[in-house]
Amino acid sequence: LTAADLVGRHLLVDGQTVWCDGPLTRAVREGGICYLDEVVEARQDTAVVLHPLADNRRELFLERTGETLQ
């Protein structure tokens, strides 16, 4: 599981590049829960994305879109 799998990525749709939220981004936007089983086994790039959500900042930074979600 990569950070892009959780956060989202740009996809080609009908010849245009569009952003598609991943499950973590959708959960943050909608105030939902994203259950991550065995997160201690996560890749380093994934852990870096999760830390700001788990500490006192409580935010998700989307590097590819420049957004910060609270």
Side-chain angles (χ1 to χ4, degrees):
L1 187 67
T2 66
D5 293 331
L6 279 177
V7 174
R9 58 180 51 124
H10 286 98
L11 298 173
L12 287 175
V13 177
D14 296 328
Q16 294 184 351
T17 304
V18 296
W19 175 257
C20 181
D21 285 342
L24 183 63
T25 303
R26 282 195 312 270
V28 172
R29 284 191 199 277
E30 298 170 13
I33 295 172
C34 185
Y35 179 79
L36 302 173
D37 192 21
E38 297 190 29
V39 73
V40 295
E41 301 294 328
R43 294 171 32 140
Q44 183 63 32
D45 65 324
T46 303
V48 167
V49 169
L50 295 173
H51 283 159
L53 278 172
D55 67 15
N56 64 330
R57 291 174 280 183
R58 300 283 193 257
E59 62 186 20
L60 175 64
F61 177 65
L62 304 176
E63 183 178 345
R64 294 182 178 161
T65 65
E67 288 180 85
T68 301
L69 305 175
Q70 301 262 329

